[in-house]
Coordinates of all heavy atoms in Angstrom, one line a residue:
M1 N -17.1 83.3 66.1 CA -15.9 83.4 66.7 C -14.8 83.4 65.7 O -14.6 82.5 65.0 CB -15.6 82.3 67.7 CG -16.5 82.4 68.9 SD -16.4 81.1 70.2 CE -14.6 80.9 70.3
P2 N -14.0 84.6 65.6 CA -13.0 84.6 64.6 C -11.8 83.8 64.9 O -11.5 83.6 66.1 CB -12.6 86.1 64.5 CG -13.1 86.7 65.8 CD -14.3 85.8 66.2
E3 N -11.1 83.3 63.9 CA -9.9 82.5 64.1 C -8.8 83.3 63.4 O -8.9 83.6 62.2 CB -10.0 81.1 63.6 CG -8.7 80.3 63.8 CD -8.8 78.9 63.4 OE1 -9.5 78.1 64.0 OE2 -8.2 78.5 62.3
L4 N -7.7 83.7 64.1 CA -6.6 84.4 63.5 C -5.4 83.5 63.6 O -5.4 82.5 64.4 CB -6.4 85.7 64.2 CG -6.1 85.8 65.6 CD1 -5.4 87.1 65.9 CD2 -7.3 85.6 66.5
I5 N -4.3 83.9 63.0 CA -3.1 83.2 63.0 C -2.0 84.1 63.6 O -1.8 85.2 63.2 CB -2.6 82.8 61.6 CG1 -3.7 82.1 60.8 CG2 -1.3 82.0 61.6 CD1 -4.0 80.7 61.3
I6 N -1.5 83.7 64.8 CA -0.4 84.5 65.4 C 0.9 83.7 65.3 O 1.0 82.6 65.8 CB -0.8 84.7 66.9 CG1 -2.1 85.5 67.0 CG2 0.4 85.5 67.6 CD1 -2.6 85.8 68.4
D7 N 1.8 84.3 64.6 CA 3.2 83.7 64.4 C 3.0 82.3 63.9 O 3.7 81.4 64.4 CB 4.0 83.8 65.7 CG 4.4 85.2 66.0 OD1 4.5 86.0 65.1 OD2 4.6 85.5 67.2
G8 N 2.1 82.0 63.0 CA 1.9 80.7 62.4 C 1.0 79.8 63.2 O 0.7 78.7 62.7
Q9 N 0.5 80.2 64.4 CA -0.3 79.3 65.2 C -1.8 79.8 65.2 O -2.0 81.0 65.5 CB 0.2 79.3 66.6 CG 1.6 78.8 66.8 CD 1.7 77.3 66.3 OE1 0.9 76.5 66.7 NE2 2.7 77.1 65.5
P10 N -2.7 79.0 64.9 CA -4.1 79.4 64.9 C -4.6 79.6 66.3 O -4.2 79.0 67.2 CB -4.9 78.2 64.2 CG -4.0 77.1 64.4 CD -2.6 77.6 64.5
L11 N -5.5 80.6 66.4 CA -6.1 80.9 67.7 C -7.5 81.4 67.5 O -7.7 82.3 66.7 CB -5.3 82.0 68.5 CG -5.9 82.4 69.8 CD1 -5.7 81.3 70.9 CD2 -5.2 83.7 70.3
R12 N -8.5 80.8 68.2 CA -9.9 81.2 68.0 C -10.2 82.1 69.3 O -9.9 81.7 70.4 CB -10.8 80.0 68.0 CG -12.2 80.4 67.7 CD -13.1 79.1 67.3 NE -12.6 78.4 66.1 CZ -12.9 78.8 64.9 NH1 -13.7 79.8 64.7 NH2 -12.5 78.1 63.9
V13 N -10.8 83.2 69.0 CA -11.1 84.2 70.1 C -12.6 84.6 70.0 O -13.3 84.4 69.0 CB -10.2 85.4 70.0 CG1 -8.8 85.1 70.2 CG2 -10.4 86.2 68.7
A14 N -13.1 85.2 71.1 CA -14.5 85.7 71.1 C -14.6 86.9 70.2 O -13.6 87.7 70.1 CB -14.9 86.0 72.5
Q15 N -15.8 87.1 69.6 CA -16.0 88.3 68.8 C -15.8 89.5 69.6 O -16.1 89.6 70.8 CB -17.5 88.3 68.3 CG -17.8 89.2 67.2 CD -17.2 88.7 65.9 OE1 -17.2 87.6 65.6 NE2 -16.7 89.7 65.1
G16 N -15.1 90.5 69.1 CA -14.8 91.8 69.8 C -13.5 91.8 70.6 O -13.2 92.7 71.2
T17 N -12.7 90.7 70.5 CA -11.4 90.6 71.2 C -10.4 91.4 70.4 O -10.3 91.4 69.2 CB -11.0 89.1 71.2 OG1 -11.9 88.4 72.0 CG2 -9.6 89.0 71.9
T18 N -9.6 92.2 71.2 CA -8.5 92.9 70.5 C -7.3 92.0 70.3 O -7.2 90.9 70.9 CB -8.0 94.1 71.4 OG1 -7.5 93.6 72.6 CG2 -9.1 95.1 71.7
V19 N -6.5 92.4 69.3 CA -5.3 91.6 69.1 C -4.4 91.5 70.3 O -3.8 90.5 70.6 CB -4.5 92.1 67.9 CG1 -3.2 91.4 67.7 CG2 -5.4 92.0 66.6
A20 N -4.4 92.6 71.1 CA -3.6 92.6 72.3 C -4.1 91.6 73.3 O -3.3 90.8 73.9 CB -3.6 94.0 73.0
A21 N -5.4 91.4 73.4 CA -6.0 90.4 74.3 C -5.7 89.0 73.8 O -5.4 88.1 74.6 CB -7.5 90.6 74.5
A22 N -5.7 88.9 72.5 CA -5.4 87.6 71.9 C -4.0 87.2 72.1 O -3.7 86.0 72.4 CB -5.7 87.6 70.4
L23 N -3.1 88.2 72.1 CA -1.7 87.9 72.4 C -1.5 87.3 73.8 O -0.6 86.5 74.0 CB -0.8 89.2 72.2 CG -0.6 89.7 70.8 CD1 0.0 91.0 70.8 CD2 0.2 88.7 69.9
M24 N -2.3 87.8 74.7 CA -2.2 87.3 76.1 C -2.5 85.8 76.2 O -2.1 85.1 77.1 CB -3.1 88.0 77.0 CG -2.8 89.5 77.2 SD -1.1 89.7 77.9 CE -0.2 90.4 76.5
S25 N -3.2 85.3 75.2 CA -3.6 83.8 75.1 C -2.6 83.0 74.3 O -2.8 81.8 74.1 CB -5.0 83.7 74.6 OG -5.9 84.4 75.4
A26 N -1.6 83.7 73.6 CA -0.8 83.0 72.6 C 0.7 83.1 72.9 O 1.1 84.2 73.3 CB -1.2 83.5 71.3
G27 N 1.4 82.1 72.6 CA 2.8 82.2 72.6 C 3.4 82.7 73.8 O 3.1 82.4 74.9
D28 N 4.4 83.7 73.6 CA 5.1 84.3 74.8 C 4.4 85.6 75.3 O 5.0 86.3 76.1 CB 6.6 84.5 74.5 CG 6.8 85.5 73.4 OD1 5.8 86.1 72.8 OD2 7.9 85.8 73.0
R29 N 3.2 85.9 74.8 CA 2.4 87.0 75.2 C 3.0 88.3 74.8 O 2.7 89.4 75.3 CB 2.2 87.0 76.7 CG 1.5 85.8 77.2 CD 1.3 85.8 78.7 NE 0.5 84.6 79.1 CZ -0.3 84.5 80.1 NH1 -0.4 85.6 80.9 NH2 -0.9 83.4 80.4
C30 N 4.0 88.3 73.9 CA 4.7 89.5 73.5 C 4.2 90.0 72.1 O 3.6 89.2 71.4 CB 6.2 89.3 73.5 SG 6.9 89.0 75.1
S31 N 4.4 91.3 71.9 CA 4.0 91.9 70.6 C 5.1 92.2 69.6 O 4.9 92.3 68.4 CB 3.2 93.1 70.9 OG 3.9 94.0 71.8
R32 N 6.3 92.4 70.1 CA 7.4 92.8 69.2 C 8.7 92.5 69.9 O 8.8 92.1 71.1 CB 7.3 94.2 68.8 CG 7.4 95.2 70.0 CD 7.2 96.6 69.6 NE 7.5 97.5 70.7 CZ 8.7 98.1 70.8 NH1 9.7 97.9 69.9 NH2 9.0 98.9 71.8
T33 N 9.8 92.8 69.2 CA 11.2 92.7 69.7 C 11.8 94.0 69.6 O 11.8 94.6 68.5 CB 12.0 91.6 68.9 OG1 11.3 90.4 69.0 CG2 13.4 91.5 69.5
S34 N 12.4 94.6 70.6 CA 13.0 95.9 70.6 C 14.3 95.8 69.8 O 14.8 94.7 69.5 CB 13.3 96.4 72.0 OG 14.4 95.7 72.5
V35 N 14.9 97.0 69.5 CA 16.2 97.0 68.7 C 17.3 96.4 69.4 O 18.3 95.9 68.8 CB 16.5 98.5 68.3 CG1 15.5 99.0 67.3 CG2 16.6 99.4 69.5
S36 N 17.2 96.3 70.8 CA 18.2 95.6 71.6 C 17.9 94.1 71.8 O 18.7 93.5 72.5 CB 18.4 96.3 72.9 OG 17.2 96.3 73.7
G37 N 16.9 93.7 71.2 CA 16.6 92.2 71.2 C 15.6 91.8 72.3 O 15.4 90.6 72.5
Q38 N 15.1 92.7 73.1 CA 14.2 92.4 74.2 C 12.8 92.2 73.7 O 12.4 93.0 72.8 CB 14.2 93.4 75.3 CG 15.5 93.6 76.0 CD 15.4 94.8 77.0 OE1 14.8 95.8 76.7 NE2 15.9 94.5 78.2
R39 N 12.1 91.2 74.1 CA 10.7 91.0 73.8 C 9.9 92.0 74.6 O 10.1 92.2 75.7 CB 10.3 89.5 74.0 CG 11.0 88.5 73.2 CD 10.6 88.6 71.7 NE 9.2 88.0 71.6 CZ 8.4 88.3 70.6 NH1 8.8 89.2 69.7 NH2 7.2 87.8 70.5
R40 N 8.9 92.6 73.9 CA 8.1 93.6 74.5 C 6.6 93.2 74.4 O 6.3 92.4 73.6 CB 8.2 95.0 73.8 CG 9.7 95.4 73.6 CD 10.3 95.7 74.9 NE 9.8 96.8 75.6 CZ 10.3 97.4 76.7 NH1 11.3 96.8 77.2 NH2 9.7 98.4 77.2
A41 N 5.8 93.7 75.3 CA 4.4 93.3 75.4 C 3.5 94.5 75.6 O 4.0 95.6 76.0 CB 4.2 92.3 76.6
P42 N 2.2 94.4 75.2 CA 1.3 95.5 75.5 C 1.3 96.0 76.9 O 1.4 95.2 77.8 CB -0.1 94.9 75.1 CG 0.2 93.8 74.2 CD 1.6 93.2 74.6
L43 N 1.3 97.3 77.1 CA 1.4 97.8 78.4 C 0.2 98.7 78.8 O -0.5 98.3 79.8 CB 2.7 98.7 78.5 CG 2.9 99.4 79.9 CD1 3.2 98.3 81.0 CD2 4.1 100.3 79.8
C44 N -0.1 99.7 78.1 CA -1.2 100.6 78.5 C -2.6 100.2 78.1 O -3.6 100.5 78.8 CB -0.9 102.0 78.0 SG -1.2 102.2 76.2
G45 N -2.7 99.5 77.0 CA -4.0 99.0 76.5 C -4.9 100.1 75.9 O -6.1 99.9 75.7
M46 N -4.3 101.3 75.7 CA -5.2 102.4 75.2 C -4.5 103.3 74.1 O -4.9 104.4 73.9 CB -5.7 103.3 76.3 CG -4.6 103.9 77.2 SD -5.3 104.7 78.6 CE -3.9 105.5 79.3
G47 N -3.5 102.7 73.4 CA -2.9 103.4 72.3 C -1.9 104.5 72.6 O -1.5 105.3 71.7
I48 N -1.3 104.5 73.8 CA -0.4 105.5 74.2 C 1.1 105.0 74.1 O 2.0 105.6 73.5 CB -0.6 106.0 75.6 CG1 -2.0 106.6 75.7 CG2 0.4 107.1 76.0 CD1 -2.3 107.8 74.9
C49 N 1.4 103.8 74.7 CA 2.8 103.4 74.9 C 3.4 102.9 73.6 O 4.7 102.8 73.5 CB 2.8 102.3 76.0 SG 2.2 100.7 75.5
Q50 N 2.7 102.4 72.6 CA 3.2 101.9 71.4 C 3.9 100.6 71.5 O 4.6 100.1 70.6 CB 4.2 102.9 70.7 CG 3.6 104.3 70.5 CD 2.6 104.4 69.4 OE1 2.8 104.0 68.3 NE2 1.4 104.8 69.7
E51 N 3.9 100.0 72.7 CA 4.6 98.7 72.9 C 3.9 97.5 72.3 O 4.5 96.5 72.1 CB 4.7 98.4 74.4 CG 5.6 99.3 75.2 CD 7.1 99.2 74.9 OE1 7.4 98.3 74.0 OE2 7.9 99.9 75.5
C52 N 2.7 97.7 71.8 CA 1.9 96.6 71.2 C 2.0 96.6 69.7 O 1.2 95.9 69.1 CB 0.5 96.7 71.7 SG -0.4 98.1 71.1
R53 N 3.0 97.3 69.1 CA 3.0 97.3 67.7 C 3.3 95.8 67.1 O 4.1 95.1 67.6 CB 4.2 98.1 67.2 CG 4.0 99.6 67.5 CD 5.0 100.5 66.8 NE 6.4 100.1 67.1 CZ 7.1 100.6 68.1 NH1 6.6 101.6 68.8 NH2 8.3 100.2 68.3
V54 N 2.4 95.4 66.2 CA 2.5 94.1 65.5 C 2.3 94.3 64.0 O 1.8 95.4 63.6 CB 1.5 93.1 66.1 CG1 1.8 92.7 67.5 CG2 0.1 93.7 65.9
N55 N 2.7 93.3 63.3 CA 2.3 93.3 61.9 C 1.0 92.5 61.7 O 0.9 91.4 62.1 CB 3.4 92.7 61.0 CG 4.6 93.6 60.8 OD1 4.4 94.8 60.5 ND2 5.8 93.1 60.9
V56 N 0.0 93.2 61.1 CA -1.3 92.6 60.9 C -1.5 92.6 59.4 O -1.5 93.6 58.7 CB -2.4 93.3 61.5 CG1 -3.8 92.7 61.2 CG2 -2.3 93.3 63.1
D57 N -1.5 91.4 58.8 CA -1.6 91.2 57.3 C -0.6 92.1 56.6 O -0.9 92.8 55.6 CB -3.1 91.5 56.9 CG -4.0 90.5 57.5 OD1 -3.6 89.4 57.7 OD2 -5.2 90.9 57.7
G58 N 0.6 92.2 57.2 CA 1.7 93.0 56.5 C 1.7 94.4 56.8 O 2.6 95.1 56.3
L59 N 0.8 94.9 57.6 CA 0.8 96.4 58.0 C 1.0 96.5 59.5 O 0.5 95.8 60.3 CB -0.5 97.0 57.6 CG -0.9 97.0 56.1 CD1 -2.3 97.5 55.9 CD2 0.1 97.8 55.3
R60 N 1.8 97.6 59.8 CA 2.1 97.8 61.2 C 0.8 98.4 61.9 O 0.2 99.3 61.5 CB 3.2 98.9 61.3 CG 3.7 99.1 62.7 CD 4.4 97.8 63.2 NE 5.9 98.0 63.2 CZ 6.7 97.1 63.5 NH1 6.3 95.9 63.9 NH2 8.0 97.2 63.4
R61 N 0.4 97.8 63.0 CA -0.8 98.2 63.7 C -0.6 98.1 65.2 O 0.3 97.4 65.7 CB -2.0 97.2 63.4 CG -2.4 97.2 62.0 CD -3.2 98.4 61.7 NE -3.7 98.3 60.3 CZ -3.6 99.3 59.4 NH1 -3.0 100.4 59.8 NH2 -4.1 99.2 58.2
L62 N -1.4 98.9 66.0 CA -1.3 98.8 67.4 C -2.3 97.6 67.8 O -3.5 97.7 67.5 CB -1.8 100.1 68.1 CG -0.8 101.2 67.9 CD1 -1.4 102.5 68.6 CD2 0.6 100.9 68.5
A63 N -1.8 96.6 68.5 CA -2.6 95.5 68.8 C -3.8 95.8 69.7 O -4.9 95.3 69.6 CB -1.8 94.4 69.5
C64 N -3.6 96.8 70.6 CA -4.6 97.2 71.6 C -5.8 98.0 70.9 O -6.8 98.1 71.5 CB -4.1 97.9 72.8 SG -3.5 99.6 72.4
Q65 N -5.5 98.5 69.7 CA -6.5 99.3 69.0 C -7.1 98.5 67.8 O -7.8 99.1 66.9 CB -5.9 100.6 68.5 CG -5.3 101.4 69.6 CD -6.4 101.9 70.6 OE1 -7.3 102.5 70.2 NE2 -6.2 101.5 71.9
T66 N -6.8 97.2 67.7 CA -7.2 96.4 66.5 C -8.0 95.2 66.9 O -7.6 94.5 67.8 CB -5.9 95.9 65.7 OG1 -5.1 97.0 65.4 CG2 -6.3 95.2 64.5
L67 N -9.2 95.1 66.4 CA -10.1 94.0 66.7 C -9.7 92.8 65.8 O -9.3 92.9 64.7 CB -11.5 94.3 66.5 CG -12.1 95.4 67.4 CD1 -13.6 95.7 67.0 CD2 -12.1 94.9 68.8
C68 N -9.8 91.6 66.4 CA -9.5 90.4 65.7 C -10.5 90.1 64.6 O -11.7 90.4 64.8 CB -9.5 89.2 66.6 SG -8.1 89.2 67.8
R69 N -10.1 89.7 63.4 CA -10.9 89.3 62.3 C -10.6 87.9 61.9 O -9.4 87.5 62.0 CB -10.7 90.3 61.1 CG -11.3 91.6 61.2 CD -11.0 92.5 60.0 NE -9.7 92.9 59.9 CZ -8.7 92.4 59.2 NH1 -9.0 91.4 58.4 NH2 -7.5 92.9 59.2
D70 N -11.6 87.2 61.4 CA -11.3 85.9 60.9 C -10.3 85.9 59.8 O -10.4 86.7 58.9 CB -12.7 85.3 60.4 CG -12.6 83.8 60.3 OD1 -12.1 83.2 61.2 OD2 -13.2 83.2 59.4
G71 N -9.3 85.0 59.9 CA -8.3 84.9 58.8 C -7.2 85.9 58.9 O -6.2 85.9 58.1
M72 N -7.2 86.8 60.0 CA -6.1 87.7 60.2 C -4.8 87.1 60.5 O -4.7 86.1 61.2 CB -6.5 88.6 61.3 CG -5.6 89.6 61.8 SD -6.2 90.5 63.3 CE -7.1 91.8 62.5
H73 N -3.7 87.6 59.9 CA -2.4 87.1 60.2 C -1.6 88.1 61.0 O -1.4 89.2 60.6 CB -1.6 86.7 58.9 CG -2.0 85.5 58.3 ND1 -3.2 85.4 57.5 CD2 -1.5 84.2 58.3 CE1 -3.3 84.1 57.1 NE2 -2.3 83.4 57.6
V74 N -1.2 87.7 62.2 CA -0.5 88.6 63.1 C 0.9 88.1 63.3 O 1.1 86.9 63.5 CB -1.2 88.7 64.5 CG1 -0.4 89.6 65.5 CG2 -2.6 89.2 64.3
E75 N 1.9 89.0 63.1 CA 3.3 88.6 63.3 C 3.9 89.5 64.4 O 3.8 90.7 64.3 CB 4.1 88.7 62.0 CG 3.6 87.7 61.0 CD 4.3 87.8 59.6 OE1 5.3 88.4 59.6 OE2 3.7 87.2 58.7
T76 N 4.6 88.9 65.3 CA 5.2 89.6 66.4 C 6.8 89.6 66.3 O 7.4 90.3 67.1 CB 4.9 89.0 67.8 OG1 5.5 87.8 68.0 CG2 3.4 88.9 67.9
R77 N 7.3 88.8 65.4 CA 8.7 88.7 65.2 C 9.2 89.3 63.9 O 8.4 89.2 62.9 CB 9.2 87.3 65.4 CG 8.8 86.7 66.7 CD 9.2 85.3 66.9 NE 8.7 84.8 68.2 CZ 9.4 84.9 69.3 NH1 10.6 85.5 69.3 NH2 8.9 84.4 70.4
P78 N 10.4 89.9 63.9 CA 10.8 90.5 62.6 C 11.1 89.4 61.5 O 11.2 88.3 61.8 CB 12.1 91.2 63.0 CG 12.5 90.7 64.4 CD 11.3 90.1 65.0
Ligands
LIG101 S1 -0.7 98.7 74.7 FE1 0.0 100.7 74.7 S2 -0.3 101.4 72.7 FE2 -1.2 99.4 72.7

């Protein structure tokens, strides 16, 4: 079972869990903050809406298209 860090908080998830699914178990369940300051969350779950953009180990990724790995650092806040 991989353990990742989401906004500084450790979270252990089942193998094969997407980052979007992990976000549903962590913090405020959001993936990013819009330019107007609203918190946004994964919506479509299939790579279309782009609402699930997060920083994974310093790179911008779609949370719904990214599998959790042990030691992964996910950031949802600028
Ligand atoms: S949830 Fe829509 S692109 Fe990831």
Side-chain angles (χ1 to χ4, degrees):
M1 290 181 38
E3 181 175 289
L4 63 159
I5 308 294
I6 299 178
D7 294 330
Q9 299 298 312
L11 179 69
R12 189 168 297 278
V13 297
Q15 195 74 38
T17 300
T18 64
V19 173
L23 289 171
M24 293 298 112
S25 303
D28 64 0
R29 302 179 176 211
C30 293
S31 50
R32 65 185 188 92
T33 303
S34 73
V35 292
S36 61
Q38 294 177 316
R39 295 290 285 154
R40 309 296 293 188
L43 180 63
C44 72
M46 58 185 186
I48 303 297
C49 73
Q50 308 285 305
E51 292 290 1
C52 66
R53 294 188 308 264
V54 292
N55 281 319
V56 175
D57 296 332
L59 299 174
R60 190 67 103 181
R61 297 284 185 230
L62 292 178
C64 70
Q65 302 297 303
T66 305
L67 293 178
C68 295
R69 286 181 283 101
D70 201 38
M72 174 185 272
H73 284 76
V74 177
E75 295 177 14
T76 71
R77 298 179 184 274

